């Protein structure tokens, strides 16, 4: 199996799966909390720390996806500023593609996990330039 090192390899792994895949995208914004301290502000401006807020989500079949640049371009149409995108996959069953309706609940779960400050390490994450991020 291919190792996921970037968005292109993520799509390649999706194509290698035995069942059709639906990709779930949750876009996040990084900001400073209202009650931040001076050291929090310094860390934030150095590219570390901050608070994650889920601002929008979308699901797409693998065959609807092309490259990361197209994803960024499409997201700009929503006129929402984002910093990180979380990505998960939903597998089909018996060769049937997962439907948008089947993606609703998993997207809500990801959204709530972000809003509640939950563990994001089980999701793939990319910055706006397409760099793979790791949550610990």
């Amino acid at each position: 199996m291919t190792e996921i090192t970037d968005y292109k390899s993520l799509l390649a792994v999706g194509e290698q799966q035995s069942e059709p895949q639906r990709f779930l995208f949750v876009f996040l914004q990084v900001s400073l909390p209202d009650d931040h301290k001076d050291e929090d502000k310094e860390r934030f401006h150095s590219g570390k720390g901050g608070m994650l807020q889920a601002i929008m989500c979308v699901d797409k079949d693998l065959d609807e996806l092309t490259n990361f640049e197209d994803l960024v371009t499409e997201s700009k149409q929503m006129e929402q500023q984002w910093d990180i995108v979380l990505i998960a996959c939903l597998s089909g069953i018996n060769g049937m593609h997962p439907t948008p309706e089947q993606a609703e609940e998993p997207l809500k779960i990801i959204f709530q996990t972000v809003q509640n400050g939950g563990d994001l390490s089980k999701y793939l994450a990319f910055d706006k330039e397409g760099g793979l991020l790791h949550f610990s």
Side-chain angles (χ1 to χ4, degrees):
M1 180 166 297
T2 305
E3 181 182 352
I4 298 173
T5 57
D6 56 20
Y7 188 77
K8 184 178 180 180
S9 61
L10 169 63
L11 298 183
V13 167
E15 291 170 356
Q16 294 170 3
Q17 301 305 302
S18 59
E19 294 291 350
Q21 301 293 303
R22 186 159 201 86
F23 282 64
L24 312 176
F25 300 89
V26 176
F27 295 85
L28 311 178
Q29 192 173 61
V30 182
S31 61
L32 271 171
D34 291 336
D35 61 347
H36 68 273
K37 298 181 174 107
D38 287 341
E39 59 265 19
D40 296 330
K41 187 175 182 178
E42 289 175 25
R43 287 188 70 226
F44 180 76
H45 288 297
S46 71
K48 298 179 180 173
M51 178 179 76
L52 297 175
Q53 179 181 11
I55 56 169
M56 62 181 172
C57 57
V58 68
D59 59 284
K60 294 189 170 285
D61 268 334
L62 177 59
D63 59 1
E64 296 177 273
L65 301 172
T66 54
N67 57 50
F68 195 78
E69 293 79 18
D70 288 347
L71 179 69
V72 171
T73 299
E74 184 178 336
S75 74
K76 287 179 182 177
Q77 295 172 4
M78 300 304 293
E79 298 181 5
Q80 292 278 345
Q81 179 65 31
W82 60 273
D83 302 297
I84 297 171
V85 60
L86 295 179
I87 305 174
C89 291
L90 182 63
S91 290
I93 299 173
N94 297 326
M96 298 293 293
H97 286 258
T99 65
E101 293 78 21
Q102 290 170 318
E104 286 178 16
E105 189 61 28
L107 279 170
K108 285 180 188 175
I109 291 169
I110 300 168
F111 209 92
Q112 290 171 345
T113 300
V114 173
Q115 300 302 81
N116 295 330
D119 180 15
L120 303 179
S121 64
K122 60 185 169 185
Y123 305 111
L124 287 172
F126 292 90
D127 64 22
K128 206 166 193 169
E129 288 74 44
L132 185 61
L133 304 174
H134 300 279
F135 292 103
S136 50

